[in-house]
Amino acid sequence: MTMQPTDLATYNFAYLDEQTKRMIRRAILKAIAIPGYQVPFASREMPMPYGWGTGGVQVTASIIGPDDTLKVIDQGADDTTNAVSIRAFFAKVAEVSTTTSTADATIIQTRHRIPEEKLGEGQILVYQVPIPEPLRFLEPRETETRKMHALEDYGLMHVKLYEDIARNGHIATTYAYPVKIEGRYVMDPSPTPKFDNPKMDQSEALQLFGAGREKRIYAVPPYTSVVSLDFEDYPFEVNRFDQPCALCGAEGVYLDEVVLDDRGGRMFVCSDTDHCEKRRAAGHKGTMAGGEIGQ
Amino acid sequence: MTVAGSVSHIEEPVDRPAIPAADATEEKPLLSASGVSKFYGSRIGCEDVSIDIWPGEVLAVVGESGSGKTTLLNCISTRLMPTTGTVTYRMRDGQTRDLYRMGEAERRFLMRTDWGFVHQNPADGLRMTVSAGANVGERLMATGARHYGDIRATAGDWLGRVEIAEDRIDDQPRAFSGGMRQRLQIARNLVTGPRLVFMDEPTGGLDVSVQARLLDLLRGLVTDLGLAVVVVTHDLAVARLLSHRMVVMKDGRVIETGLTDRVLDDPRAPYTQLLVSSILQA
Amino acid sequence: MAVPLIVSGVSKSFTMHLRGGVRIPVVDAVHFSIEAGQCAVLSGPSGVGKSSILKMLYGNYAVDVGQILIRHNGTLLDLAQAEPRQVMAVRRDTIGYVSQFLRAVPRVSALDVAAEPLVQRGTDSDTARRRAADLFARLNLPEKLWELPPATFSGGEQQRVNIARGFITDHPILLLDEPTASLDAANRAVVVAMIGEKKADGVALLGIFHDADLREAVADRIIDVTGFAPKKAA
């Protein structure tokens, strides 16, 4: 079959049809109105498998406009397959400009990290969420967990943390660490490291969460209280790193461990590649910068 | 013994736990069920049952399978909405409330603070994949306890009270015997100091020796804590050892009520006589 | 307070529904009263209904017709019509009972069994256990048994636990159902002395004693139960 070139679009702007985008926007508005509450939505099939960010992609597709600048990160990096593919996807279906610079982006779709650079008003952070229900670990029945949210029946959440301490001597949950939104809903922040939890609190940016397979959207509007659950005698603590980034020398950022050889050689580098690159461009140097890695 | 007959009168009435002194002066029942009926379509679950439960009192509901005793228990514990009838409860602040006119949030709060429910099968009342300590501590955490050390200490204390060694605090109930699981379920229910506990065949499915131990434990806890208990059982020996008063059910209706030793030693209704003569043979 | 208990026109029968509803009369028109500071004894041959009368007075058996009037916490109460909760209160505060046999509760020590009625009335556990220990010592119950559950005790040992349990409180009315059947002479004498002390304290006692000597020793009055035998035509 041959198709003559025409002026007709072969796909709608941002891939999703307008009715679907309206449906998703309504879910997003509801989610913003009820911070932390999981709004069900009619998740669509996307041209990628579940688990690759279909929820986040649908949210992004529903809010993106021709003037937006999109950044996509995966575990903090702009250059992984997932990040590159999604960025390319929107460059193609929405013809938006893309960037790796946090500050230049109006929409940042993320898998498992929040950028180190503070987000500002007008920016939107879109999280890809695998399992939106923070209570599922202990209560598999969706009917029951929804009732628990409705009744603010959150004792179970602390049961989970109790078990952590009983087993490990400290709260060993290091990612998807449960938070309470605006003193009401307990929410799963998606599998971000708990290091990032404090960044969610009173953030100037709008935070949207999309779970494609689970068909849920939730949101944390700007300037919303996000409190990590804990015990009085085991207060919430962020991960600490013994050393600065080996490339840019940054401290107080989230580091990834990189194995260098099969003799135990390793280095710790910023997980946020954009942040690291900007620092290095500004002349910051870590212990292993400028040498073998750059070559 | 004056009349031997077919009904056994050999039991002596003396050693049931007496009602604690302070509670006899309480003028109002804790829980009142009035005209409670539950129909499953045209089938009767229970019909026109009215009972009062007083503070510190153990009420046994006996009858054979299908007599409606579990339906009644579920109806008065708000686990099953009755078709007709009202159930009222005197709250800690002294106000009497209609349980079925309460909001669900308030009812849940009541159920996990002022009430307990002990299931026949401990797996129905426990979280089997969570440690014993967390099982006991859950109600505390649900009601706002946020100090890990305190929660753990309270849980350990309660494990001791139900005769579970403290070094089992981090084990999951999956690793426990049936009797231990049942004792854990009891601790989990009692940790918030409830005033009323519902029990559905709490000793069912346990070996006789394990049963005896559990009954002694329950008897002691009930007396020490001044609990009001509604215990459903088909075992008249359990009823005699634990309860002050008894309700005998048949075909969904209450056919006889009274002091436990009176009902067992001088049963009046034909069915109660049959029950007593059938079961109290040992 | 001279007459703390009056039995008036009390009849009792058993209807045996499992035997085609046959009605077995037990006693008819029972009528007597007991007085404070006295021990009345129910007498009559075996099977005449003595034990049934005691059980009615304790609320253990239902009453067909008639009244059992007692002074309970300053008011007059008809035990025959009383609600179960009232009967429980009467047992706690007004009427004590020493049964023929002890229903042993597993795992509860003899001391705690005997102390329980006091504890239930609000006495602290230590004091109650001391009182129980005093009674055990008096009844010559070997001290090594005190902390053991009475389930494995001999008949006589169990009966002494039972006596201690019944005598430990100061109920104004005390019912005794053959409390000395399994006791030796020395311990029977102790019980006689204890009954005497109860009388001196103004307690009204009503008992069944098969032993004629003992009956002689304690009875202020004999109530002949054969007089309450149901008429044949009943």
Side-chain angles (χ1 to χ4, degrees):
Chain A
M1 189 163 97
T2 56
M3 184 179 272
Q4 297 301 316
T6 72
D7 291 337
L8 289 173
T10 50
Y11 51 79
N12 194 36
F13 178 79
Y15 187 77
L16 292 174
D17 64 88
E18 293 305 311
Q19 287 303 321
T20 296
K21 285 195 274 189
R22 286 183 61 183
M23 175 270 293
I24 293 174
R25 287 175 197 144
R26 278 196 296 268
I28 291 171
L29 286 173
K30 183 171 180 181
I32 292 169
I34 315 170
Y37 172 73
Q38 300 167 47
V39 182
F41 80 110
S43 180
R44 298 293 193 247
E45 293 288 334
M46 297 302 286
M48 61 183 72
Y50 287 133
W52 286 58
T54 55
V57 165
Q58 289 180 76
V59 169
T60 300
S62 302
I63 60 171
I64 202 164
D67 301 337
D68 276 311
T69 304
L70 178 70
K71 169 182 163 79
V72 181
I73 52 171
D74 178 4
Q75 307 265 25
D78 296 275
D79 53 2
T80 67
T81 309
N82 195 250
V84 170
S85 302
I86 292 174
R87 208 159 50 228
F89 175 74
F90 282 109
K92 182 173 182 187
V93 301
E95 294 172 341
V96 293
S97 55
T98 61
T99 181
T100 58
S101 165
T102 300
D104 296 340
T106 54
I107 299 173
I108 303 170
Q109 181 169 330
T110 174
R111 173 175 174 270
H112 302 189
R113 273 309 311 277
I114 298 174
E116 304 291 357
E117 196 173 332
K118 190 168 178 287
L119 299 179
E121 281 188 9
Q123 287 187 300
I124 301 175
L125 189 58
V126 178
Y127 295 75
Q128 301 170 200
V129 180
I131 297 172
E133 180 49 71
L135 298 164
R136 187 163 300 165
F137 170 75
L138 292 160
E139 179 51 72
R141 289 170 296 178
E142 182 78 10
T143 48
E144 182 64 18
T145 54
R146 299 192 75 177
K147 194 175 268 184
M148 290 161 78
H149 283 294
L151 298 173
E152 257 187 289
D153 192 353
Y154 289 134
L156 259 189
M157 231 40 262
H158 275 86
V159 168
K160 183 174 186 286
L161 299 178
Y162 173 100
E163 287 291 89
D164 245 14
I165 301 171
R167 281 204 201 112
N168 306 297
H170 59 96
I171 297 180
T173 302
T174 52
Y175 64 94
Y177 192 104
V179 290
K180 197 166 206 181
I181 307 301
E182 205 62 19
R184 177 58 181 85
Y185 284 96
V186 166
M187 188 188 90
D188 185 331
S190 86
T192 50
K194 67 178 179 180
F195 178 88
D196 286 339
N197 275 19
K199 294 181 193 157
M200 305 179 76
D201 184 39
Q202 302 297 337
S203 166
E204 292 173 21
L206 168 65
Q207 304 173 76
L208 301 177
F209 300 76
R213 181 179 44 212
E214 302 266 342
K215 302 175 173 57
R216 294 287 184 276
I217 286 172
Y218 50 102
V220 176
Y223 305 106
T224 298
S225 129
V226 178
V227 176
S228 303
L229 302 182
D230 62 2
F231 286 102
E232 290 159 14
D233 46 344
Y234 287 84
F236 172 81
E237 284 173 347
V238 297
N239 327 38
R240 303 232 173 268
F241 297 91
D242 300 336
Q243 49 204 307
C245 170
L247 295 179
C248 75
E251 293 185 39
V253 296
Y254 194 75
L255 301 180
D256 284 337
E257 182 179 359
V258 179
V259 175
L260 297 174
D261 51 39
D262 58 1
R263 298 185 303 276
R266 66 188 61 193
M267 65 191 291
F268 287 88
V269 298
C270 285
S271 107
D272 185 337
T273 53
D274 173 58
H275 185 68
C276 198
E277 281 162 18
K278 280 194 179 137
R279 279 179 56 84
R280 277 182 282 159
H284 295 282
K285 271 195 177 178
T287 54
M288 296 172 85
E292 63 272 38
I293 296 299
Q295 290 165 358
Chain B
M1 198 53 41
T2 314
V3 174
S6 60
V7 176
S8 166
H9 297 297
I10 54 167
E11 302 286 356
E12 297 295 331
V14 291
D15 57 3
R16 225 163 306 89
I19 285 257
D23 295 316
T25 55
E26 300 255 13
E27 290 297 317
K28 285 185 196 159
L30 201 54
L31 184 141
S32 266
S34 171
V36 168
S37 300
K38 175 68 188 177
F39 302 106
Y40 302 99
S42 60
R43 200 164 59 78
I44 294 171
C46 65
E47 190 172 14
D48 196 23
V49 177
S50 298
I51 51 170
D52 290 334
I53 294 128
W54 299 77
E57 163 187 75
V58 180
L59 178 75
V61 181
V62 305
E64 60 198 19
S65 302
S67 61
K69 53 192 195 302
T70 296
T71 295
L72 175 64
L73 188 77
N74 286 336
C75 280
I76 63 176
S77 61
T78 74
R79 296 163 58 80
L80 183 67
M81 179 114 174
T83 312
T84 59
T86 56
V87 185
T88 61
Y89 183 71
R90 189 157 52 80
M91 312 288 281
R92 278 182 197 261
D93 63 6
Q95 285 191 2
T96 298
R97 302 280 302 276
D98 185 334
L99 290 175
Y100 284 100
R101 286 171 189 270
M102 262 184 199
E104 175 144 16
E106 193 178 8
R107 204 154 65 208
R108 277 203 175 199
F109 184 77
L110 181 74
M111 289 178 83
R112 69 184 173 210
T113 54
D114 218 18
W115 288 8
F117 197 105
V118 176
H119 298 262
Q120 173 172 2
N121 179 1
D124 294 341
L126 292 172
R127 294 193 187 276
M128 298 301 282
T129 56
V130 157
S131 71
N135 262 290
V136 178
E138 180 176 346
R139 272 177 165 236
L140 298 173
M141 292 183 256
T143 49
R146 290 292 178 265
H147 192 284
Y148 173 84
D150 292 351
I151 293 165
R152 191 174 171 84
T154 307
D157 179 46
W158 268 100
L159 289 181
R161 291 182 77 164
V162 298
E163 301 172 9
I164 294 174
E166 267 204 70
D167 62 6
R168 305 298 303 269
I169 192 168
D170 293 328
D171 293 347
Q172 294 181 0
R174 287 190 295 195
F176 287 4
S177 67
M180 278 174 78
R181 287 180 186 181
Q182 198 57 295
R183 297 201 299 279
L184 179 63
Q185 191 189 182
I186 288 162
R188 173 176 160 88
N189 273 282
L190 296 185
V191 68
T192 49
R195 292 189 299 162
L196 176 60
V197 177
F198 302 96
M199 300 184 185
D200 189 2
E201 304 275 8
T203 60
L206 299 176
D207 291 345
V208 180
S209 61
V210 178
Q211 247 186 50
R213 182 176 181 190
L214 187 71
L215 282 172
D216 295 334
L217 182 78
L218 275 178
R219 194 174 175 277
L221 288 172
V222 162
T223 311
D224 292 350
L225 304 171
L227 289 179
V229 176
V230 182
V231 56
V232 159
T233 179
H234 66 274
D235 187 337
L236 296 187
V238 169
R240 185 187 283 274
L241 196 64
L242 277 185
S243 72
H244 302 101
R245 278 201 304 134
M246 241 171 87
V247 168
V248 184
M249 291 190 73
K250 183 178 193 304
D251 300 333
R253 291 187 154 270
V254 171
I255 55 158
E256 184 160 1
T257 67
L259 274 184
T260 297
D261 62 82
R262 207 283 294 153
V263 172
L264 291 177
D265 295 345
D266 186 12
R268 319 286 284 176
Y271 176 72
T272 315
Q273 290 189 356
L274 176 67
L275 207 59
V276 169
S277 66
S278 313
I279 301 175
L280 274 188
Q281 295 299 322
Chain C
M1 283 300 288
V3 183
L5 185 146
I6 300 169
V7 182
S8 169
V10 164
S11 296
K12 169 71 185 168
S13 65
F14 290 111
T15 304
M16 316 304 271
H17 293 287
L18 302 183
R19 293 189 176 175
V22 60
R23 190 171 158 277
I24 301 172
V26 182
V27 288
D28 191 31
V30 179
H31 196 97
F32 67 86
S33 61
I34 58 175
E35 286 174 36
Q38 288 197 355
C39 181
V41 172
L42 297 172
S43 79
S46 209
V48 80
K50 302 186 295 292
S51 211
S52 290
I53 290 173
L54 277 196
K55 286 179 175 182
M56 284 190 281
L57 298 189
Y58 198 58
N60 180 225
Y61 280 4
V63 174
D64 293 352
V65 293
Q67 289 182 310
I68 298 171
L69 298 175
I70 57 165
R71 284 199 183 277
H72 169 62
N73 291 341
T75 59
L76 201 64
L77 181 73
D78 180 3
L79 202 59
Q81 301 288 330
E83 291 290 319
R85 285 181 53 75
Q86 290 176 305
V87 177
M88 284 187 271
V90 165
R91 290 179 181 182
R92 194 190 58 232
D93 296 334
T94 305
I95 302 184
Y97 184 90
V98 178
S99 61
Q100 209 167 346
F101 305 104
L102 178 72
R103 259 175 60 86
V105 182
R107 302 207 309 167
V108 179
S109 77
L111 270 181
D112 287 323
V113 169
E116 192 179 20
L118 266 192
V119 174
Q120 301 293 2
R121 302 181 81 188
T123 308
D124 74 89
S125 161
D126 287 346
T127 310
R129 282 168 59 91
R130 265 200 307 279
R131 289 272 301 279
D134 292 345
L135 286 166
F136 283 172
R138 212 171 153 195
L139 288 158
N140 304 307
L141 188 71
E143 194 165 348
K144 63 177 190 291
L145 298 179
W146 295 3
E147 291 290 350
L148 298 178
T152 54
F153 291 9
S154 73
E157 287 159 354
Q158 290 197 2
Q159 195 154 46
R160 278 174 276 168
V161 175
N162 221 6
I163 291 167
R165 186 182 157 92
F167 276 78
I168 198 167
T169 53
D170 50 2
H171 285 115
I173 300 169
L174 187 56
L175 309 176
L176 309 169
D177 192 353
E178 299 199 42
T180 57
S182 318
L183 299 188
D184 60 25
N187 282 318
R188 268 206 296 274
V190 174
V191 174
V192 169
M194 285 167 62
I195 289 173
E197 288 159 25
K198 285 286 181 194
K199 284 200 259 185
D201 289 342
V203 174
L205 297 105
L206 178 66
I208 301 171
F209 301 95
H210 277 177
D211 183 280
D213 294 339
L214 190 82
R215 197 157 58 214
E216 280 303 303
V218 299
D220 297 296
R221 198 152 61 89
I222 304 286
I223 297 166
D224 185 0
V225 176
T226 52
F228 310 132
K231 288 152 194 75
K232 284 275 183 259

